[in-house]
Structures are given as structure tokens and as C-alpha cells.
Amino acid sequence: PLKSSLALSRGSGSATFARASTATYINSAGNVASAAIDAPRFEANGLLMEGQRTNICLQSETLDNAAWVAANITVGANDAAAPDGATTAELLTASLANGTLIQDLGIIASAAKIFTIYLKRKTGTGNIDLTLDNGVGWTTKSITTSWAKYSITQTLANPDCGIRIVTNGDAVWAWGAQVEDSASFATSYIPTVAASVTRVRDSLTYPLAGNFNSNAFTIVAICAGLQDDNVPNSIVELYKTSSSGA
């Protein structure tokens, strides 16, 4: 159960899944795909369940937009196939050493933040660095010739996220920039354009009637969960929907 469908292997009734927004996931082909409102997302490990998160990084796929400030970097729009299969990956090429591309995310209270972005190397072997503090500090990432999602975390106020290509002439493809506030781990990609976007939490419920003894029962849950340090999460919730407890 929950590997590829919501069907019960035993018992009666059917599951109810809800999410009041679209969401992305990694499909069976290994690509980033979009799920409609109230559509469950099944990945290689089964049903993906996530809490509510917001991507505060604007123009997540259009890195040639004015929201991103380039210094000694050229941005080639829609240059290659992105992780979702569409030709929307941006080519970043250093025109001088230490070329940067940075977005000012505005006035935001101090909290843990995580910056993620998909990167793929085109040419060169020099360092590729990420920042969340406008380049006060840089974190070097080992970028390969295959798409991968890279991340850095930092606790700070007023973040500015970005990338630095250290060696003149080096180039990488970039796509899917995301910054999540009050977060200690990354979640699925949330596309943005001119404003931040929120992905609403997933909810999965099963009926008690016909599946549980309302007087005494045991629940065993096998799952992989991550605890956000700032937002309480729950794996299983039990509650009554009628006076009988069913």
C-alpha cells in the first residue's frame, strides 16, 4: 500500500487524499513533474507527503530576468533541456573570473533558510559556489555533467541567494532556484514567476469504519519523515468525525 496507489491491501473503504495546490515530484522517468490539485504524488519510495512550504525566490526558471543581478556572467535563456524535460534551462557562463548571479530576497526576519538549485556543468573544471548572504560567504559544490539538486543552509536575516563561477569561461546550466524560509531541509521544487508561491500541505485520511475496532486497536506506521525545526509535523493523527468515533 502507498507504493503506487492509495488502495487498501486489507479492510474496507477508500483513502481520501487532499492538497489545495499543485505540487511537483520526481516521476518514474526521473524527471521533475507536476501534480494537479488533490492529486497524490508517487515517487520511487512511494507516496510523497510534505508539509506546507513557500518558495520566496522569484523567477525560479528565468535567471535572465531583472530579479537576478549578473556581474561578469552571461545568461543564455532556454538553452538546454531542464530536469522537467522542457527546454528552459539557463546557461550561465563566466565572462571574467568570479562571475556572480544574485537575487536580493528583501527584508526577511532571521531564521534558518535553505537555498536549492539544479545545476549541470557544460564546460570547465573550476569551482562553482553558492551563497545565501550576498557573497559574504560562499560554499563550493562539485558540479557534474548530469543534473543534480544542490543546496546550502544558513540562519540569517535579509537573504540574498546566488551562484558564483570562479573561473573565466566556465559554464553551467541552471534551473529551479528555490529558497525556503524557516526551514532546515529542502522539499520538492515550487516554481515561481513574479511572486512567491506556496505549496499547501498534503493530507491523507482513511475511514475507521470497517478497519478498526473503535474500542481498542494498534497502529503501526513505517515511514521516512523529516522534522522541520520551526514547524511541527505529524505522521499520524487520530480524531473523531462523529460521536461514535467512526
Side-chain angles (χ1 to χ4, degrees), residues 134-229:
N134 196 28
V136 174
W138 292 97
T139 301
T140 300
K141 297 294 181 178
S142 298
I143 311 302
T144 71
T145 54
S146 298
W147 281 113
K149 189 176 184 178
Y150 299 89
S151 66
I152 58 171
T153 58
Q154 189 173 348
T155 298
L156 77 169
N158 311 327
D160 292 0
C161 65
I163 182 172
R164 178 173 68 178
I165 302 177
V166 173
T167 303
N168 182 19
D170 278 11
V172 297
W173 286 291
W175 183 85
Q178 180 158 308
V179 175
E180 300 171 74
D181 190 19
S182 300
S184 57
F185 61 90
T187 63
S188 61
Y189 171 53
I190 305 168
T192 65
V193 184
S196 61
V197 175
T198 296
R199 182 198 63 244
V200 181
R201 72 167 188 163
D202 297 300
S203 173
L204 178 67
T205 60
Y206 283 98
L208 289 178
N211 296 308
F212 296 97
N213 181 325
S214 61
N215 296 314
F217 57 85
T218 300
I219 291 179
V220 177
I222 301 176
C223 50
L226 292 172
Q227 175 64 45
D228 189 315
D229 294 336

Side-chain angles (χ1 to χ4, degrees), residues 23-28 30-35 41 83-84 175 189:
T24 67
Y25 67 106
I26 307 301
N27 64 18
S28 58
N31 294 328
V32 176
S34 181
R41 297 172 289 167
D84 66 349
W175 183 85
Y189 171 53

Side-chain angles (χ1 to χ4, degrees), residues 37-238:
I37 292 173
D38 291 335
R41 297 172 289 167
F42 293 97
E43 297 190 329
N45 293 323
L47 179 65
L48 175 61
M49 298 286 294
E50 295 182 301
Q52 180 169 302
R53 285 290 182 88
T54 299
N55 184 3
I56 61 175
C57 182
L58 309 185
Q59 306 293 341
S60 62
E61 298 175 20
T62 49
L63 278 63
D64 58 328
N65 186 273
W68 294 91
V69 177
N72 301 324
I73 274 185
T74 61
V75 182
N78 302 327
D79 188 78
D84 66 349
T87 307
T88 53
E90 311 282 72
L91 179 63
L92 311 183
T93 305
S95 54
L96 288 173
N98 295 315
T100 61
L101 183 69
I102 293 178
Q103 182 176 148
D104 182 350
L105 299 173
I107 306 301
I108 301 173
S110 179
K113 295 170 177 63
I114 184 162
F115 170 39
T116 55
I117 188 169
Y118 286 89
L119 296 171
K120 177 180 177 181
R121 187 181 291 275
K122 182 181 181 182
T123 58
T125 58
N127 285 356
I128 307 297
D129 304 334
L130 300 180
T131 187
L132 258 171
D133 57 13
N134 196 28
V136 174
W138 292 97
T139 301
T140 300
K141 297 294 181 178
S142 298
I143 311 302
T144 71
T145 54
S146 298
W147 281 113
K149 189 176 184 178
Y150 299 89
S151 66
I152 58 171
T153 58
Q154 189 173 348
T155 298
L156 77 169
N158 311 327
D160 292 0
C161 65
I163 182 172
R164 178 173 68 178
I165 302 177
V166 173
T167 303
N168 182 19
D170 278 11
V172 297
W173 286 291
W175 183 85
Q178 180 158 308
V179 175
E180 300 171 74
D181 190 19
S182 300
S184 57
F185 61 90
T187 63
S188 61
Y189 171 53
I190 305 168
T192 65
V193 184
S196 61
V197 175
T198 296
R199 182 198 63 244
V200 181
R201 72 167 188 163
D202 297 300
S203 173
L204 178 67
T205 60
Y206 283 98
L208 289 178
N211 296 308
F212 296 97
N213 181 325
S214 61
N215 296 314
F217 57 85
T218 300
I219 291 179
V220 177
I222 301 176
C223 50
L226 292 172
Q227 175 64 45
D228 189 315
D229 294 336
N230 299 282
V231 180
N233 293 321
S234 58
I235 299 298
V236 177
E237 294 182 353
L238 298 178

